[in-house]
Amino acid sequence: MVEISRVEESELAPETSGFTDFRTLGYSHLLKRRPEKPVDQAKGPQYPVPVHSLLGTGLHSRRHSSVKADEVASTAPFHLDLWFYFTLQNWLLDFGRPIAMMGELRPEEGKNLPRVTQNVGAQLSPKGASNSQLVFPLEWFPLNKPSVGDYFHMAYNIITPFLLLKLIERSPRTLPRSMIYVSIITFIMGASIHLVGDSVNHRLIFSGYQNHLSVRENPIIKNLKPETLIDSFELLYYYDEYLGHSMWYIPFFLILFMYFSGCFTPTKAESSMPGPALPLVVPSGLYYWYLVTEGQIFILFIFTFFAMLALVLHQKRKRLFLDSNGLFLFSSFALTLLLVALWVAWLWNDPVLRKKYPGVIYVPEPWAFYTLHVSSRH
């Protein structure tokens, strides 16, 4: 039996001749397996855990913990300082901008201007018509330089995004940063486009440009040669009234809505405004009324308001209520809607304004009403 086994091994030797037998070379210790550690049946086999998986797990848990923390976070206090500064700069820099440019040229200021401007008071646009003297003399801000209203607009373009960012920072809920950044950038770009278009538009008024007429119907525009210059002025008007307003107001209301989405509290007792907030509701709502009517953005505003209302009803089912900041913003918008309704009802049968604002949605501009019914009486 031993010989037969040896023969079988020798017959198999040629097939395995390409392999080295470490036992014959004295390296048999290399073939010894390392002793395995006993496996804990409770914990199971232990394997080395990659560092990136640990980091990923930490970020994952941190992300979920932040969401839970936002849901149960304590209610943010009322931001009296931010809402006060926000309302003040809106009235001062936005509403006060056309007032700073309002008026009629003094005789000594119109000597070097075209003859059509000798009676500028009859030709001023709805945004700034008046027969009184200019608030600031024309020699302080020549026609080939930015006006005082332009500087107001520049300050608005800087201060408003800053206040919006500070408002977002104080939100009790973590908001999508990418959306906030894109909205702020678009807001600044749209407001800057409007700044340039509105500045040139106001400067054209001193040359006889009439804002109640279309670009091609204006006396100083329709006879321009070559006629391609008219297309350039129409492009300027498009940048001012359409593109500038859209890129300005859409991100503005989007940011306010995103902030509003985080203004909810599970405690009904905290759903009330403090005493100092009540006096700010009226000037805030009144400014938004001016913004909606003068900017002709009623559709955007009503869409935002009903989105806020739907969110309030949805959160109410989850037993979540508006906090003081959310109540302030919602109350301001509700007052704005009421003022717009009263404004439209009051001027519903005005034949001149009806002709100027045709269509289903009839929302006259305040400065158009001022030009037609107030300044014309003086």
Side-chain angles (χ1 to χ4, degrees), residues 252-305:
F252 177 76
F253 281 98
L254 178 61
I255 293 173
L256 289 181
F257 177 77
M258 286 191 292
Y259 171 79
F260 179 81
S261 65
C263 296
F264 289 90
T265 175
T267 307
K268 191 173 183 180
E270 297 177 348
S271 181
S272 61
M273 285 189 294
L278 298 177
L280 284 178
V281 172
V282 174
S284 178
L286 192 59
Y287 167 75
Y288 288 122
W289 162 81
Y290 169 77
L291 189 69
V292 170
T293 53
E294 188 66 26
Q296 294 293 288
I297 53 171
F298 178 76
I299 296 179
L300 175 62
F301 167 76
I302 200 68
F303 178 81
T304 305
F305 178 78

Side-chain angles (χ1 to χ4, degrees), residues 306-326:
F306 280 114
M308 294 167 64
L309 180 61
L311 182 61
V312 170
L313 297 178
H314 175 71
Q315 295 290 62
K316 191 175 182 180
R317 296 179 180 178
K318 300 180 180 180
R319 298 184 179 275
L320 295 176
F321 310 94
L322 283 174
D323 62 6
S324 57
N325 295 286

